[in-house]
Amino acid sequence: MLHLPEDNQVITHQMDLITIKEKLYNHEYKKPEEFAIDVRLSTNCYKYNSDHEIVMMAKKLQTFFEMKYANMPDEFPDDNINANLERKKRFHTK
């Protein structure tokens, strides 16, 4: 995460993709909405950087995420987003 001098005054709750990945693997997300909130926070750099290459990339990522998130099933087994991750891990280890 870039820690710019006054960025915490513009963006009060910062998030980055590495932290999101760690939270996924540590099963910290209990519902898809929690994951979505963090992804949306990670792409809000346009609030701080107005005209930068990273802003264009963040907007593309946010658009892609919102498209995928809109098509996601409403419910997960056990109402737990991590259930699918566990199933995927077991499948790939066999």
Side-chain angles (χ1 to χ4, degrees), residues 86-94:
E86 282 300 314
R87 211 174 287 119
K88 193 174 189 178
K89 280 182 186 177
R90 283 189 296 238
F91 177 76
H92 288 292
T93 57
K94 292 182 180 180

Side-chain angles (χ1 to χ4, degrees), residues 1 33-34 36 39 45 47 55 57 61 70 81 88 94:
M1 186 178 328
E33 297 82 21
E34 296 171 2
V39 171
C45 64
K47 292 180 180 178
V55 173
M57 289 186 282
L61 176 61
I81 192 172
K88 193 174 189 178
K94 292 182 180 180

